[in-house]
Amino acid sequence: MYGNVFYFSNINAIGGIETMFWMLARKYGDRDITVLYRTADPAQLRRMRELVRCVRFTGQRIRCRKAFFNYTIDIIDHVDADEYNLILHADYSASVYSYLKPPVHEKIDHYLAVSQVAADGFKALTGIEPAVIYNPFIVDKPRKVLRLISATRLTPEKGKARMELLAQALDAAGIPWRWDVYTNDRSGFRHPNITLRAPRLGILDDIADADYLVQLSDSEAYSYSIVEALAVGTPVIVTAIPVCEEMGIQDGVNAFVLPFDMSEIPVAQIYKGLKRFKYTPRPDRWPELLAPGASSWPEEKAQGVTAEAAVKFRDLKAELIREKGDRFPCSWERALDLEAKGLARLV
């Protein structure tokens, strides 16, 4: 004979009811609690089994002191309980739940609403006044999420395999982390903590907001993303590429420099972080290489440019049809807009 049985028709991968019971099991797991279920998400079931007994319902008779039903009471005739309870997780009077009929059964001894709103809605429809119990809650101290960012191709020479090894090392250490990878490659990682994002021009704000920029290449002649990161105070995680010293990359100061075989990954130190640092990119020599003379482009751009229709299209601004090959004057901004839409090109 079980003590307290909580019945779930299905335990979902995510959901408020699953979170409610997880909190209840953590807070009151010293009581005799059994989860009874028909189907369940493996991950949810795994963490519940760490705390309470879990039994799959296959048509057997269930004997317990108290039975608690979540939403569904379809197996109530298979349960012999000293007390029957139905937990009301929804406001049945809300229009979004109009398709749900409030569950009422002659065996139910107590109706338990998770809020006063849920209780009032149930009473309005059934005339039964439930008790308000509220969901259990435990306040956990949140851990810092390590935020990584990369802008790279997911190819062997750019260190795709090393990126996978870094992800494995972070998982093995139990570190919470998220990794945004800006890339055109879509056949890359299959990891819930890695998000593949479409490249865009200018991600400096995102780099500045990350804990580390990661670049695990075989070699780099010059890496703009590394310089951008260091210039805004974001340290980097890089391989021991020959150009490190020349670019001002200092292990333990503004970077973690990893061996190419990834045999030593100081995940604890990476998670702890580095002290603030200052970084100044090496000066370039372009002033002495470029031909002298001021640019006339600002004045030319202000006067307008000539565009050529790439296809036949209706020019709404000019209120006419442009034939393919037609040339016409327009502003710089207008030309850029037409070019971006594939309608015209600059001449």
Side-chain angles (χ1 to χ4, degrees):
M1 180 177 182
Y2 300 125
N4 303 278
V5 169
F6 287 79
Y7 172 63
F8 297 79
S9 176
N10 176 57
I11 300 175
N12 295 299
I14 57 173
I17 299 176
E18 286 73 17
T19 301
M20 168 263 179
F21 187 79
W22 170 242
M23 290 288 184
L24 186 144
R26 291 178 61 196
K27 197 169 184 178
Y28 304 109
D30 57 336
R31 304 290 183 93
D32 183 20
I33 294 175
T34 299
V35 173
L36 184 65
Y37 67 96
R38 285 184 181 273
T39 57
D41 171 74
Q44 284 280 13
L45 192 59
R46 193 158 43 245
R47 74 169 185 169
M48 287 185 180
R49 279 179 172 156
E50 293 292 326
L51 301 172
V52 298
R53 183 189 302 110
C54 297
V55 176
R56 185 181 178 190
F57 177 74
T58 57
Q60 71 271 39
R61 301 294 303 182
I62 302 296
R63 182 77 179 95
C64 60
R65 292 179 59 193
K66 292 192 176 187
F68 297 85
F69 296 89
N70 293 281
Y71 275 127
T72 310
I73 56 176
D74 57 320
I75 69 163
I76 195 167
D77 290 332
H78 290 263
V79 177
D80 298 318
D82 298 335
E83 180 181 295
Y84 295 85
N85 300 274
L86 176 63
I87 307 175
L88 306 172
H89 293 280
D91 175 11
Y92 288 95
S93 66
S95 58
V96 69
Y97 292 118
S98 60
Y99 68 96
L100 291 177
K101 184 178 180 180
V104 176
H105 195 281
E106 60 183 10
K107 283 189 176 182
I108 299 297
D109 298 299
H110 304 288
Y111 294 87
L112 310 174
V114 298
S115 69
Q116 189 62 55
V117 168
D120 292 343
F122 187 80
K123 182 180 179 181
L125 294 172
T126 66
I128 300 172
E129 185 165 0
V132 178
I133 57 170
Y134 296 116
N135 286 336
F137 190 78
I138 296 177
V139 181
D140 292 314
K141 182 179 180 180
R143 291 191 295 163
K144 170 184 168 55
V145 175
L146 187 69
R147 299 189 60 222
L148 308 177
I149 189 171
S150 294
T152 184
R153 298 188 304 277
L154 297 178
T155 55
E157 73 277 5
K158 288 297 182 179
K160 177 184 175 183
R162 297 187 188 100
M163 294 170 74
E164 293 171 339
L165 290 174
L166 177 57
Q168 292 171 17
L170 294 171
D171 283 342
I175 292 173
W177 59 278
R178 297 290 181 272
W179 195 345
D180 287 338
V181 181
Y182 289 83
T183 182
N184 278 324
D185 297 324
R186 284 292 176 269
S187 59
F189 301 103
R190 295 292 183 270
H191 194 291
N193 290 5
I194 295 176
T195 302
L196 301 183
R197 299 190 179 279
R200 68 172 191 268
L201 298 178
I203 61 169
L204 189 61
D205 294 341
D206 302 274
I207 292 175
D209 198 41
D211 293 308
Y212 295 95
L213 177 126
V214 182
Q215 189 64 56
L216 302 176
S217 305
D218 290 346
S219 177
E220 293 284 345
Y222 186 93
S223 173
Y224 263 109
S225 60
I226 290 177
V227 174
E228 285 180 313
L230 296 177
V232 297
T234 298
V236 298
I237 300 174
V238 298
T239 39
I241 49 180
V243 79
C244 275
E245 182 179 354
E246 188 176 353
M247 293 181 68
I249 297 171
Q250 297 176 277
D251 187 34
V253 177
N254 57 21
F256 284 100
V257 180
L258 308 182
F260 287 108
D261 63 5
M262 301 294 283
S263 58
E264 297 180 17
I265 305 176
V267 289
Q269 292 91 329
I270 288 173
Y271 187 55
K272 183 179 179 181
L274 295 169
K275 294 180 180 179
R276 294 178 65 87
F277 60 86
K278 291 184 178 180
Y279 177 82
T280 302
R282 295 179 67 92
D284 66 76
R285 296 179 52 198
W286 281 101
E288 62 188 79
L289 298 173
L290 295 171
S295 173
S296 61
W297 176 237
E299 291 78 15
E300 295 175 29
K301 184 168 64 172
Q303 293 170 5
V305 295
T306 299
E308 181 180 287
V311 295
K312 181 179 179 180
F313 72 96
R314 181 181 295 278
D315 190 335
L316 298 178
K317 189 170 183 179
E319 297 183 343
L320 51 79
I321 300 295
R322 301 283 188 192
E323 298 290 342
K324 182 179 180 179
D326 285 353
R327 294 191 173 190
F328 53 95
C330 61
S331 69
W332 169 251
E333 291 77 11
R334 174 67 172 157
L336 287 180
D337 180 56
L338 292 173
E339 191 171 53
K341 294 175 179 177
L343 301 178
R345 64 178 182 84
L346 288 172
V347 177

